[in-house]
Amino acid sequence: MTVAEETEVTLEVGQRTELPALPDPAGHHREREMHAILEIGVRGPAGAPHATPAPGTGPALAEVLIVDTSRSMLHPPAKLHAAKDATAAAVRMLPFGTAFAVLAGRFEATVVHPGPGRQVLAVARPGEREAAERAVRLLDADGGTAIGAWLDLARRLLKDQAAPVKHVLLLTDGRNEHDHRSRRPLETVLDACAGQFVCDAWGIGDDWDAELLLTITRRLHGRARAVRRESELTAAYEELVAGLLGTAVPELRIRLTPTTPGTVIRQVKQVVPNEQELQPVPAGTGGRAAEYVTRAWGDEVRHFQVVLTADPTGRESGEELQLAAVEVVVPGVGRPLRLPPPRPILVRWTDDPLDASRQHPGVRRHELYQRASAAVAQAYRAWLRGADGREAADRALTRALALAAELGDAQLLGALRLIESAPGTGRIRPGLKDVDWQHLILSSALTTPPEPPSGASVPGSRDDGGAGGTGAGAAASGGADPADADSGGPSPGHAAPGSRHPRHPGGTLPVRPDGLIECPDCRWLGPADSVYCGGDCGRLLRGAPA
């Protein structure tokens, strides 16, 4: 077996190793937080049909397709027609031998195929796929929406499946307004479903709820998406199923082992391509290790943020120590696999406040995404208040535009500009519908790695191998200073006139003798090149360099 025929898993650890060794003003050493970014990639052999299982391992995929058939799917009827077309297309793509079912969701869920009352999945073969498509074509709509009942039936159907990839594809046009009629509320069902399968959730029409889709997919390790036009759904489903069939690694575990006394794992979460909190499972080694499960990897790269706490008591400043070891574990893969060696997460205790204040660009990048998402949510809540919230909505939109510009995220910036009345105005477009905001909320939940630098490093460019820009160069991507703009309007990268936190005169704050700057609002101390406050207020500290 050659290297080219193996599936390769890669692991890199990005971090700033410095943490403050100095005690607090009361003279006590406190636990310090170390943040690290894990970049994990999976790359399969070129041209290999990843989802084809090894001989004797059974089907690679078990699939449950859930179609919302509540009454609102008939308003307009194009929604139900699109749902039928897309579901039938997905069924036709399932490989021979794949276990599958189609469910209809109303107040309760029913099995459309292989048939009402059946508690086993059908097996894809030519006659079975055709029978499933006929059943889908007969679907009608009535009743309400109780998504917990739909997912609970999917869980029961998938419970005894041995397929390495268990997946649910959920489509809805509404909100979970009849949850109270279910025997088990959605929150309880999500607890039961967590770790049992991956769920992707889609919205269609004008009345779906982005936060509902995100709640489901964050708990069930999937992704939330939506179509703007019903005619787009079939192609979207085909792309999604093709991605599932390209699964290279059904399950990948991140194993963390603290190696220094006093080191504690506080949090592990996925931060690219979307945010998902990961819960530890026993590592089975009898030691201090914990494992965090991720599922359904194609040829892709994901980023994860690890937060550890450590105690500097008794440690020398300048001494570099290993806080923890990171390993990638891939259980039960029926094909050749090349895993990376373990990597360390390090710490160097320092008495230099400037060194101690620095963040790894990947950590900073995720914080900016969190602030952008929060700004979108604030703008939406203010917009719901009508004229009373217009000014607050404009300020929040301007803040989101500035963050998207600093991130260099063209997708997010484009989604925000669909909400903006005209480029550079920082004002909400009149005539928006609620669904426009739902699409924006989904867009603000997606995260991307920074673009790799093209060529040699230049002053102000992203540092650390393109791990994310945080300095003046990143700010400059937001555009020219509003005072210099011919239009007189604010650039998307800067605060609008009259916003709550105007820029400091001259564009920058004074640098203290220790090399830090101080936020004038909340007194946060940070690196001199900080664009936004890292404290509670999150205000804009500086604009483009003069």
Side-chain angles (χ1 to χ4, degrees):
M1 181 64 63
T2 66
V3 169
E5 294 172 308
E6 293 179 325
T7 294
E8 181 184 12
V9 181
T10 59
L11 167 65
E12 299 295 337
V13 177
Q15 61 171 135
R16 300 284 196 191
T17 60
E18 296 82 5
L19 283 181
L22 294 172
D24 64 20
H28 302 297
H29 282 289
R30 294 178 177 172
E31 289 182 329
R32 308 294 203 266
E33 283 192 351
M34 171 56 70
H35 295 249
I37 297 294
L38 312 183
E39 183 177 308
I40 300 177
V42 171
R43 182 165 56 251
H50 298 312
T52 301
T57 59
L61 173 68
E63 179 72 23
V64 175
L65 298 149
I66 303 178
V67 182
D68 185 338
T69 56
S70 63
R71 185 174 301 156
S72 58
M73 286 289 285
L74 294 175
H75 305 288
K79 289 187 290 186
L80 186 58
H81 293 320
K84 292 179 183 182
D85 289 343
T87 302
V91 168
R92 288 194 296 269
M93 292 181 67
L94 298 177
F96 184 89
T98 301
F100 77 100
V102 180
L103 309 186
R106 299 180 183 178
F107 293 124
E108 296 292 337
T110 57
V111 180
V112 175
H113 187 83
R118 299 287 296 275
Q119 292 298 311
V120 296
L121 300 185
V123 177
R125 52 178 64 95
E128 200 73 36
R129 295 191 199 94
E130 292 166 4
E133 182 170 353
R134 286 195 298 271
V136 168
R137 295 296 180 191
L138 294 174
L139 283 174
D140 200 359
D142 198 9
T145 303
I147 293 175
W150 311 355
L151 290 172
D152 193 49
L153 178 55
R155 177 190 63 82
R156 286 182 273 128
L157 289 170
L158 290 169
K159 180 178 60 174
D160 298 323
Q161 289 297 313
V165 180
K166 293 189 279 191
H167 182 263
V168 172
L169 178 49
L170 167 68
L171 174 73
T172 183
D173 77 325
R175 300 163 189 264
N176 196 36
E177 55 193 353
H178 298 107
D179 193 50
H180 62 282
R181 295 187 53 160
S182 296
R183 287 170 293 180
R184 302 181 70 189
L186 177 60
E187 192 64 31
T188 302
V189 171
L190 290 176
D191 288 339
C193 293
Q196 303 304 306
F197 56 81
V198 173
C199 179
D200 288 310
W202 284 77
I204 189 172
D206 290 341
D207 198 34
W208 49 274
D209 181 356
E211 289 298 338
L212 171 65
L213 301 187
L214 289 169
T215 296
I216 293 169
T217 54
R218 283 170 175 164
R219 293 288 297 280
L220 303 182
H221 289 215
R223 300 182 190 181
R225 304 175 228 196
V227 290
R228 292 186 180 272
R229 292 179 291 276
E230 289 85 356
S231 59
E232 299 170 344
L233 189 64
T234 294
Y237 267 35
E238 289 174 340
E239 181 180 359
L240 187 148
V241 174
L244 286 171
L245 299 180
T247 298
V249 174
E251 180 180 302
L252 182 153
R253 296 186 175 208
I254 301 168
R255 179 181 292 167
L256 291 174
T257 306
T259 53
T260 299
T263 301
V264 178
I265 305 168
R266 294 300 185 192
Q267 186 182 49
V268 179
K269 61 182 176 181
Q270 178 179 293
V271 294
V272 172
N274 54 358
E275 183 175 320
Q276 291 176 348
E277 197 79 25
L278 303 183
Q279 299 301 322
V281 299
T285 60
R288 302 177 63 199
E291 290 183 352
Y292 298 81
V293 180
T294 67
R295 301 185 190 277
W297 286 71
D299 284 9
E300 61 180 304
V301 176
R302 303 182 194 176
H303 293 189
F304 301 85
Q305 184 172 353
V306 173
V307 182
L308 307 172
T309 53
D311 187 348
T313 304
R315 302 293 180 182
E316 294 289 334
S317 295
E319 179 183 7
E320 194 166 72
L321 301 170
Q322 178 175 296
L323 289 178
V326 185
E327 298 174 80
V328 172
V329 179
V330 180
V333 174
R335 64 175 56 87
L337 189 69
R338 183 151 51 104
L339 295 177
R343 308 285 189 191
I345 296 178
L346 305 172
V347 66
R348 182 174 70 83
W349 300 106
T350 178
D351 297 328
D352 185 331
L354 181 59
D355 281 348
S357 70
R358 296 187 187 278
Q359 284 182 308
H360 183 268
V363 176
R364 172 65 175 172
R365 187 173 180 83
H366 179 56
E367 289 184 358
L368 293 177
Y369 270 115
Q370 288 181 314
R371 291 182 188 173
S373 182
V376 168
Q378 291 166 2
Y380 174 52
R381 289 194 297 270
W383 177 83
L384 289 173
R385 301 204 312 265
D388 291 343
R390 176 61 184 269
E391 193 173 320
D394 288 345
R395 287 198 302 269
L397 175 65
T398 299
R399 188 160 60 251
L401 284 161
L403 289 161
E406 182 174 355
L407 284 162
D409 188 326
Q411 181 273 337
L412 177 57
L413 201 54
L416 287 163
R417 283 174 175 159
L418 292 176
I419 298 293
E420 193 180 17
S421 61
T425 63
R427 304 189 187 283
I428 304 292
R429 176 166 59 84
L432 286 178
K433 298 180 180 178
D434 190 88
V435 71
D436 297 318
W437 287 98
Q438 303 307 317
H439 281 285
L440 178 58
I441 291 168
L442 287 191
S443 293
S444 69
L446 295 175
T447 56
T448 63
E451 291 292 330
S454 56
S457 176
V458 295
S461 65
R462 294 187 177 101
D463 59 0
D464 279 36
T470 59
S477 66
D481 191 305
D484 299 330
D486 293 335
S487 65
S491 161
H494 304 284
S499 63
R500 180 170 168 263
H501 295 303
R503 289 191 303 151
H504 187 273
T508 59
L509 294 171
V511 179
R512 297 165 19 131
D514 59 8
L516 303 180
I517 58 172
E518 181 177 354
C519 174
D521 281 6
C522 69
R523 303 305 174 191
W524 172 81
L525 295 177
D529 61 357
S530 298
V531 180
Y532 288 87
C533 171
D536 294 335
C537 74
R539 62 157 284 177
L540 185 69
L541 296 179
R542 59 180 300 179

